[in-house]
Amino acid sequence: MSRPHIRKALLPAAAIALCVAAWPSQAQAPSPASAPGLVAIGAPCVMLFGQGRNFDPDQPAANRRWDEANSAFNLAAREPLVAAGLPVVNVVLPVSATDVPRNLQGLLAEVQRRGCTRVLETALFADAAQGLVIARLRVYPVLGMLGPQAAGSQPRIGAVAYTQQQEYALDARVMDRVNPSRLGRVMAEEALPSLSPGIGRP
């Protein structure tokens, strides 16, 4: 599977939409939004899962900006998938959701409940060590959702099947110039061929 790595210039500024949903308490099941009027009724869905990585408990305004950017990036990535007839379920966690095992447990539970066979992960984050802002899409198969299943077996997330990444020089005004919505649409369009429904088969 091809794994394009793309470096581009900074994009113009744009308004950022906000729609952040954290996993509920352990006693509740997550309830991410799904698009109405989807075609291909009964087809396995794609879990569009997003989260930032730059949580700082001392910087609530910065956390809020990362949440807004990641939500815009994730929701825009949904558009070409839905246009192509793929059933999509969005989940966007805030940067404050740093309990990785719990996040994975919630993701697996929602994937199983919805019957999704692919996870498209979106992430927009800063890597200070490299001096970069990174926009990344990754596709993972969900193994064990299609075909015969062994008794007592549970679905699991497989190895990365596709990666697309764009990088931008990190400076004080980078988030004013990066356009998360445009990035999400363009990168998801390029990722569409990797989302064949059959990749979730054992």
Side-chain angles (χ1 to χ4, degrees):
M1 183 71 67
S2 63
R3 298 183 180 182
H5 180 104
I6 306 167
R7 187 187 295 264
K8 293 186 178 179
L10 290 166
L11 298 171
I16 296 175
L18 173 61
C19 181
V20 178
W23 294 120
S25 65
Q26 299 285 0
Q28 295 177 303
S31 57
S34 56
L38 291 171
V39 298
I41 295 173
C45 61
V46 176
M47 177 64 68
L48 188 54
F49 174 75
Q51 184 182 15
R53 303 180 183 182
N54 296 104
F55 177 62
D56 185 339
D58 298 322
Q59 299 291 331
N63 296 335
R64 186 165 55 251
R65 287 193 295 271
W66 281 115
D67 285 342
E68 291 170 353
N70 272 280
S71 294
F73 186 47
N74 181 275
L75 292 173
R78 173 196 189 93
E79 295 175 16
L81 276 60
V82 171
L86 293 173
V88 180
V89 178
N90 286 76
V91 172
V92 185
L93 300 186
V95 294
S96 60
T98 59
D99 187 336
V100 175
R102 181 169 182 254
N103 293 346
L104 179 58
Q105 180 183 20
L107 175 61
L108 283 170
E110 189 66 10
V111 162
Q112 185 171 12
R113 185 173 79 88
R114 298 281 189 156
C116 296
T117 59
R118 294 138 293 167
V119 174
L120 176 57
E121 179 192 24
T122 67
L124 181 62
F125 59 97
D127 186 329
Q130 297 188 66
L132 296 172
V133 167
I134 296 172
R136 179 184 294 161
L137 295 186
R138 284 179 173 168
V139 175
Y140 302 82
V142 180
L143 305 178
M145 288 297 293
L146 298 177
Q149 299 181 21
S153 65
Q154 296 293 323
R156 65 190 189 280
I157 307 296
V160 177
Y162 171 91
T163 298
Q164 182 186 165
Q165 182 167 305
Q166 297 190 18
E167 299 173 354
Y168 308 89
L170 175 61
D171 63 39
R173 296 180 297 170
V174 66
M175 292 313 297
D176 294 330
R177 299 194 297 268
V178 172
N179 184 330
S181 294
R182 183 175 185 275
L183 271 177
R185 285 189 294 271
V186 171
M187 293 178 71
E189 286 173 358
E190 296 181 12
L192 273 173
S194 72
L195 291 169
S196 167
I199 69 170
R201 295 186 182 278

